[in-house]
Amino acid sequence: MKRSTIALAVVAAALPLAACGSSTEAGNNSSAAVTTNGSEMSADALGAKIRALPEGQRRGVLFRAIRDAGPSGASCQSVTAMKEAAPVNGNPSWNAVCDGTAQWTIVMTADQSASVTGPGPVTIKS
């Protein structure tokens, strides 16, 4: 099991969102924003942040976690399907399929990283 830091990917994906939308949305975004001063956010807050991303950016975050997981993740060229899964030890998780052929499980943790397991057989559909 490899751990991949995804905080920068979440911050980079969320920054354009802060500039969009109404003032109410901006207020909600800032209250759930990933901090960049080194302090941690809860796994639930990180999960909510990823859940709130547009589909393409959420795919990008999961893709980056898989690619950063090590040699077996390096072969992933694109996330072709994804679905939020049941929490693992209370931490939010997603199942993602790479290239329609291999499934990965990504578990978000409070230290702004992800535990990535896989590849395994595909159980979710595009």
Side-chain angles (χ1 to χ4, degrees), residues 56-78:
Q57 290 178 347
R58 189 169 45 252
R59 282 181 192 269
V61 168
L62 300 177
F63 171 76
R64 177 52 46 205
I66 293 166
R67 289 293 296 251
D68 289 350
S72 57
S75 65
C76 181
Q77 297 301 305
S78 68

Side-chain angles (χ1 to χ4, degrees), residues 10-111:
V10 174
V11 170
L15 285 177
L17 295 177
C20 300
S22 69
S23 60
T24 303
E25 291 172 340
N28 289 339
N29 284 341
S30 64
S31 67
V34 175
T35 57
T36 57
N37 63 2
S39 64
E40 291 186 3
M41 68 184 328
S42 72
D44 288 336
L46 182 57
K49 190 80 166 159
I50 294 169
R51 199 175 294 114
L53 291 172
E55 181 178 343
Q57 290 178 347
R58 189 169 45 252
R59 282 181 192 269
V61 168
L62 300 177
F63 171 76
R64 177 52 46 205
I66 293 166
R67 289 293 296 251
D68 289 350
S72 57
S75 65
C76 181
Q77 297 301 305
S78 68
V79 171
T80 54
M82 63 184 171
K83 182 177 182 181
E84 190 166 1
V88 175
N89 296 326
N91 294 320
S93 67
W94 278 263
N95 290 323
V97 176
C98 276
D99 309 318
T101 60
Q103 184 167 307
W104 299 78
T105 299
I106 300 99
V107 181
M108 305 305 161
T109 59
D111 64 356

